[in-house]
Structures are given as C-alpha cells and as structure tokens.
Amino acid sequence: MEWYLSALYLVGGLLFCMFIGTPVVVAFFAVNVFGAAIFMGGMAGIDQAITNSTTAVTSFALVPVPLFMLMGALLFHTGLAARVFDALDKCFGSIKGRLSYLTVAGGTLFATLSGSSIANTALLGTTLLPDMIKRGYKKHMIMGPILATGGLAMIIPPSSLAVLLGSLARIDVGALLIAGLIPGLILAVGFIIVIAVQIKLDPDAAPGYDTQRASAREIFHAVVVDVLPMGLVVFAVIGMILLGWATPSESAAFGTLAVIILAVFQGVLTFSAINKSLMEALKVSGMMLIIIVGSTTFSQLLAFSGASAGLIGYAKTLDLSPMALVGLMFLIVLILGMFMDQLSIMMLTIPIFMPLIALHGFDPVWFGVVMLLGLELSLATPPFGLLLFVMLSVSPPGTTIIEVARAAVPFILCTLLLVVLLVIFPQLALWLPELIRN
C-alpha cells in the first residue's frame, strides 16, 4: 500500500471517528485495532500492538504526571492557594485595575505550583471573578486576564502537559520543564502590560474604588505566613531540578511532600481534602495514561505502515524554509485546537512533527516550548477551546462564548509575539537547560 493511502486510512479514519462524536480514546483504539490487523498481519499484529503498548505507560518518565496533579489538587482543596491570593491582595493596595493585576500575579504563582491550566483557570474564576463583577469591572477586564493567566500553567513548570509532551516526543522531560520558565515569566509580564494598556485606553474598564489598606505589619505577616512558605514548594519542584539534585520524578514527589508539610503546619490537611485530591488526581491521570497507550500504538502504526517515512520524504520535496515549516506546524496546532483537546492534538501531530524537526536539525527542547505555546493558545481557540468553556461556566449569567473569545484576543496576540521572540532568540528557551547540562 502506498504511504499516502496508509496515512489517509490512519489519520483520516481517526479524524472521521472524532467528527462523528466518538470519544477520543475509543477513536484511537478503533483505528489502532484495524490498523494493526491490516499493517501488522491480522490477530498476530493486534497481539503485538497490545504487547508494545504496555511499555508506553510503564515509563518512569510519566511518574510526575499523577504527582503534579495531586500537588495542584491539594493546594486547591486545602485552601492554601486561596490564602496566597488573599495575601497578595493586601500587597496591591488600591491601585487602579488591582484585581486584574492580582489575577496575573496570583495566577502566575499558582501556575508554578499546580501544573494544571484547568485548575488554574477554575481557581482564578471562582476566587476573583465575583469580586471583580461587584466592583464594576467590564467583562473583558475580568475574563481576559483569567483566561490568559490560566493557560500559563501549561508552560511554567511544573507542567503535566510538558511531561506528557516530553514522553511522547522523546524529549528530555527535565530540560523541557525548565525551558518553559523564562518564556512563561516573559508572558506574565506581557499580560501585565496588556492590562495596563487596556486601562489606559478605557479607564472605566477597571474602575477605582476605596479599599481598606492593610498596614505594613499586616502585609508583612500575610507574606511571611502565606506566600513565602510556598517558596518551599517552588524550590522542591524547580530549584532541585535546576541544581541537579533531583530528576523531574523526584522533584514532583518532593513538591507533593512540601505541600503536605505546609498543609499540616497550617492546620488545613483534612481527610476530606486528601480524599478529594486523590480522586481528582486518579481520574485525570488515568485518562491521560489510557490516551498515551492509544497514541504510542498510533505512532508505531504510522512508522510500520511507511506513512511516517513517506511524509518525511514528501516534506523534503516541499519548497519551504525550515522556519516556514515550523510556522505551518504551529498553524496546524491552532486549527486542530478549534475542534480537539490538547492531548488529542499531541497524539495526532507528534508522530508526524518530530521526525520533521529532527530532519531540519531543530533543537527538540526549543520546539517543545513552541509546541506548548501553540497548545496553550489552542485552549482559548473558538469554538471548542476548553478554557473558553471553563471561563463561561463561572461567568455571569448571559455571557456568551463570543464575549469570552473576544476578551482573550489581546492576550492571544501577546502569546503570538512571544513565539516570534522565541524564533528570533531561541536562547530564551534554551539558556536554562544548557546551563543545567553544563
């Protein structure tokens, strides 16, 4: 069978199953079973595909996924994250647009602790949105910063999606986690600039109001008691990797342990919080691991059928510069984000993208960061961007998906600008990983 017919069957069959509403997991397994029967020799091929798939979820590199999920869930259900926001709120005083700035500052800090964009967005929405509505903030000044900052958890370590991307694409997970730190912080600064410009252009968008200013003693107490202890978690997750003291798996375990220790000292570690956190981490991690099984088998079928080699050969014949090819890949991710979730996008594209990246000599860690930014943008891409619906679920009654998407546009442009900067200055992503290697 010609390579393009193989690719049409595998990729086209998968897209067709998703188009008719088949769950992602079922779609991948259906295509994999028929693909193994056709390309690998009937039942013997199916048996071999099942045997190969077990190695996908027994990789030690995937250990950080459930641990990061558990860490973020514990921060949320014990109330430690809410305490951080209360402390930061006291620090901002009565500056104009205070709650929008607080969204970015608190959301960035929580992104370094949770590893989950959905958890980050949900926390910001439930914690800050009611007060912003009460204070008379316009909708775009409420939803835009929450949507944008919620997605930071995808690129700022610890990022569960970065661990999955590294595992699927055979990228050094530790290097990929650390590579997102500087771009993530630059993006947070960019979001603050966007908010400042919006307030400058429309002062009524974030009306000022009198608030009881906390004393210097209260601010100091809040920072010392509620914010600084979180440095233990940040150090356990990021610092230990930077110093070379721990692998990503070990740092994820230390980070979870640090959250538990803080919760015990704060007196908020209850049986209910532990139970809810474990169940949440179990559900999400189980779903991810099942999808990884389908993705790995799909990648093997693309290679075994000759579709991967054919696609690479075809790419060589295209009159595209290497950067134009990367731009095309980025565009594909954005388009797929209109209809698919991030895990499905990675599973579908990584087996095709990574051989092309290797062919043109791009650094896989750099491309991983660009890919994560594309996945972050796709979270806010209409009509099915997941964060759009998370935001819609916590927004005031009568809010439409169009209003939510429009609020995200300035922050989407900010992320696109960061991608351009990464193309011009790849060391923004590569400096820290190279520092660790050396």
Side-chain angles (χ1 to χ4, degrees):
M1 185 181 295
E2 296 290 340
W3 70 267
Y4 51 85
L5 293 178
S6 302
L8 179 64
Y9 167 77
L10 293 170
V11 179
L14 186 61
L15 292 175
F16 174 75
C17 289
M18 291 181 179
F19 178 75
I20 63 175
T22 307
V24 174
V25 173
V26 177
F28 265 100
F29 276 97
V31 171
N32 287 341
V33 168
F34 285 104
I38 293 172
F39 299 113
M40 298 178 69
M43 285 302 301
I46 294 175
D47 291 339
Q48 184 61 47
I50 293 172
T51 302
N52 294 343
S53 67
T54 57
T55 60
V57 289
T58 54
S59 171
F60 193 68
L62 291 174
V63 171
V65 173
L67 289 174
F68 285 153
M69 290 294 176
L70 179 59
M71 184 172 64
L74 282 169
L75 284 165
F76 183 80
H77 291 295
T78 59
L80 288 175
R83 291 189 177 199
V84 172
F85 279 99
D86 291 339
L88 291 175
D89 191 25
K90 294 178 180 179
C91 299
F92 278 86
S94 57
I95 64 173
K96 195 170 183 63
R98 175 177 69 95
L99 294 176
S100 293
Y101 291 121
L102 176 62
T103 299
V104 176
T108 302
L109 179 59
F110 189 61
T112 66
L113 303 172
S114 71
S116 170
S117 293
I118 296 174
N120 206 18
T121 304
L123 175 70
L124 293 171
T126 55
T127 304
L128 297 173
L129 187 140
D131 196 25
M132 297 173 87
I133 294 173
K134 185 174 68 176
R135 301 296 181 185
Y137 280 61
K138 291 186 178 180
K139 284 184 178 181
H140 71 277
M141 291 299 296
I142 300 173
M143 298 183 294
I146 292 177
L147 268 172
T149 311
L152 281 178
M154 190 174 289
I155 185 169
I156 293 181
S159 166
S160 300
L161 207 67
V163 175
L164 290 173
L165 177 61
S167 300
L168 291 173
R170 301 293 186 267
I171 301 173
D172 184 342
V173 173
L176 183 57
L177 283 171
I178 296 303
L181 184 58
I182 292 178
L185 295 177
I186 292 174
L187 200 54
V189 173
F191 292 161
I192 291 175
I193 294 172
V194 169
I195 293 171
V197 171
Q198 287 180 322
I199 294 175
K200 184 74 173 177
L201 295 175
D202 184 7
D204 293 332
Y209 57 91
D210 293 330
T211 182
Q212 184 178 357
R213 184 170 178 81
S215 66
R217 183 176 181 180
E218 289 174 328
I219 294 174
F220 178 78
H221 180 268
V223 170
V224 170
V225 173
D226 294 323
V227 179
L228 289 183
M230 290 298 164
L232 175 65
V233 182
V234 175
F235 174 77
V237 175
I238 301 174
M240 295 186 75
I241 296 178
L242 281 173
L243 294 172
W245 293 356
T247 64
S249 301
E250 293 163 346
S251 68
F254 280 120
T256 305
L257 178 62
V259 172
I260 293 173
I261 292 172
L262 290 179
V264 169
F265 274 98
Q266 297 277 14
V268 293
L269 188 65
T270 63
F271 177 78
S272 175
I274 294 174
N275 183 56
K276 289 178 180 177
S277 301
L278 286 172
M279 289 303 297
E280 186 176 311
L282 178 63
K283 290 177 182 177
V284 178
S285 301
M287 176 195 70
M288 288 183 173
L289 293 175
I290 291 173
I291 290 177
I292 287 174
V293 171
S295 172
T296 304
T297 307
F298 185 74
S299 302
Q300 292 170 348
L301 286 172
L302 282 175
F304 197 86
S305 66
S308 294
L311 284 169
I312 293 172
Y314 178 71
K316 290 179 180 178
T317 65
L318 293 177
D319 190 20
L320 288 176
S321 68
M323 279 302 174
L325 186 62
V326 171
L328 180 60
M329 294 178 188
F330 192 82
L331 181 62
I332 290 172
V333 170
L334 294 185
I335 294 173
L336 290 177
M338 298 179 184
F339 311 102
M340 300 167 63
D341 64 272
Q342 282 57 51
L343 279 175
S344 303
I345 293 171
M346 285 198 305
M347 293 161 59
L348 184 61
T349 58
I350 288 301
I352 299 170
F353 285 179
M354 293 313 297
L356 296 176
I357 290 300
L359 175 67
H360 290 283
F362 287 108
D363 190 297
V365 173
W366 172 83
F367 179 74
V369 174
V370 173
M371 183 81 175
L372 286 172
L373 286 170
L375 292 170
E376 178 192 327
L377 278 180
S378 69
L379 278 171
T381 305
F384 300 119
L386 186 57
L387 290 189
L388 297 178
F389 291 97
V390 174
M391 189 71 249
L392 191 63
S393 67
V394 298
S395 295
T399 303
T400 65
I401 194 72
I402 299 298
E403 290 177 312
V404 179
R406 190 181 297 126
V409 168
F411 300 92
I412 289 175
L413 295 176
C414 191
T415 305
L416 289 174
L417 178 60
L418 176 62
V419 173
V420 173
L421 288 175
L422 283 172
V423 170
I424 300 173
F425 307 107
Q427 287 302 113
L428 291 174
L430 298 178
W431 179 69
L432 279 179
E434 289 176 356
L435 188 66
I436 295 174
R437 292 193 192 104
N438 296 330

